Amino acid sequence: MENFSTYNPVKLHFGSNALFKIHEQAPKYGRRALVVYGQGSVKKYNILVKVLNQLAQSGVSYVEYGGIKPNPVVEDVVQAAAMARKEKVDMIVAVGGGSVIDSSKVIALAAKSDIDPWEFMLGRAEPTDALPILTVLTVVGTGSEMNGVAVLQNNMAGQKLGMRHELMYPRESFLDPGLTTTVPKFQTACGMADIIAHAMEAYFGDGGSPLADYFAASIIREVMDVGIKLINDLGNYDLRARIMLAATYALNGTTAIGRGNSGDWGVHAVGHILSLLYDIPHGATLTVAYPAWLKLHLDKIPDRIRHLGRLVFDKQCLDERDTIKEFEKFFKLLDLPVNLADVNIPRDERQIILQLMNQNRVTGAVFPLTKEDRAAIVELMTTGGKI
Ligand code: NZQ
Ligand code: ZN
């Protein structure tokens, strides 16, 4: 086991009608809020109006910034931060999924500084202050509601980057599984894939931590147990609750205890290239990239892949090849893509993908990727390879 430090200050309010606690909590953070949301779902499903009523009830005035895109872009953060400064808000209230929450985290930093927020993402500027952030989660998967990570896209620079900072932990997150029953089948499946990918990135992290391995495998098992049932019963509150909890705990530090880092994250780096080029939902980029990454590492870390398979699928006869096949099978059962053709990317795009991967030096923290590895991953994402 490795030495480690862990920290997570986020207060969770979990369960039916959790957002009706906002009026009790919000005034602790000031008198005026910037409410950030996406491209309309929270209006369509009457979530925003409830949040605004809660703020009004508690005497917190607000301004709104809507329109955050899935795979959020830095331009929105710049504009929203300017609004936060102009309107002298005391807090950010994020109503949405990972894209809205991640944007809100960087808005919270940028509102307290004159520095171009992309400088924070590049690690060239160190944040020193942030507005407090409250979140109301409406779509499940990223775990952003209980971590200090934000991922943003900069299309001009051809980069999608993640950053982590203690100032970006939400102060409180309001998690009502009932708010997620309107999330369509494909997006629900993408969220489940993201949870599995977070547990796997952690599992392939630095150093041996059997307890963390069990945590990671348990999260994957929970998603697999819920998966097909939820896809066929999208309005089921209990299944939504189980998947929401799994998502939150897949990336709040739990699966990293006893490891030297939070995970490998090479597959996410590959996925971000696909989001950048083709605007594919995050979870779907991961089901394309993970099988290829596992196949590339089949002969390098067979024991580790096999061990994961045995923990997750509970079959002692399973080998490393079967493990990869089982993961692919599950993704297909959820109707998720497992290769580039499944997301309508033609074969002749291979060079473009590889070029952007090389330009961004796509790699993992534990398993570095050489240029040859990247080429092999692109090939495996195209052909599926043979195992
Ligand atoms: O924009 P609206 O209209 O709100 O629609 C959204 C969006 O189209 C819709 N939606 C949200 N709530 C809904 C709903 N539809 C119906 N009913 C509701 N209640 O869902 C769509 C996807 O939303 P988005 O926030 O983009 O999804 P997700 O939560 O998967 O976030 C993806 C982003 O998070 C990043 C990803 O890279 C991607 O940019 N990640 C963030 C991480 C973190 N902060 O820790 C880690 C992850 O690995 C990931 O990289
Ligand atoms: Zn992810």
Side-chain angles (χ1 to χ4, degrees), residues 142 194 197-198 251 265 268 282 286:
T142 66
D194 199 15
H198 294 163
L251 199 52
W265 299 105
H268 269 68
H282 175 62
L286 301 171

Side-chain angles (χ1 to χ4, degrees), residues 146-166:
M146 200 179 177
N147 68 39
V149 176
V151 184
L152 278 189
Q153 200 155 299
N154 183 330
N155 293 329
M156 295 286 280
Q159 288 176 304
K160 179 168 183 176
L161 299 177
M163 74 169 278
R164 181 185 299 266
H165 202 284
E166 286 189 5

Side-chain angles (χ1 to χ4, degrees), residues 215-262:
F215 281 148
S218 302
I219 285 168
I220 299 173
R221 288 176 69 138
E222 175 70 348
V223 175
M224 291 191 165
D225 193 26
V226 170
I228 309 303
K229 293 178 216 156
L230 178 54
I231 286 303
N232 291 309
D233 189 7
L234 293 171
N236 186 312
Y237 176 91
D238 289 327
L239 296 175
R240 290 284 186 184
R242 286 174 64 183
I243 215 72
M244 187 177 253
L245 196 57
T248 303
Y249 275 76
L251 199 52
N252 69 354
T254 304
T255 57
I257 56 161
R259 301 194 201 281
N261 61 15
S262 68

Side-chain angles (χ1 to χ4, degrees), residues 39-41 72 98-99 102 138 144 147 149 160 179 182 198 268 282:
Q39 300 197 302
S41 67
S99 297
D102 288 6
T138 68
S144 188
N147 68 39
V149 176
K160 179 168 183 176
L179 300 185
T182 51
H198 294 163
H268 269 68
H282 175 62

Side-chain angles (χ1 to χ4, degrees), residues 160 197-198 200-205 261-274 282 285-286 288-294 296-297 357 360-370 373-374 377 381:
K160 179 168 183 176
H198 294 163
M200 284 171 80
E201 296 278 20
Y203 175 85
F204 291 110
N261 61 15
S262 68
D264 180 62
W265 299 105
V267 173
H268 269 68
V270 175
H272 291 341
I273 297 297
L274 299 178
H282 175 62
T285 69
L286 301 171
V288 172
Y290 240 121
W293 186 94
L294 287 167
L296 178 73
H297 289 86
M357 280 170 76
N360 280 276
R361 297 193 189 86
V362 161
T363 193
V366 182
F367 300 99
L369 298 173
T370 62
D373 291 336
R374 290 178 202 135
I377 285 179
M381 290 194 300

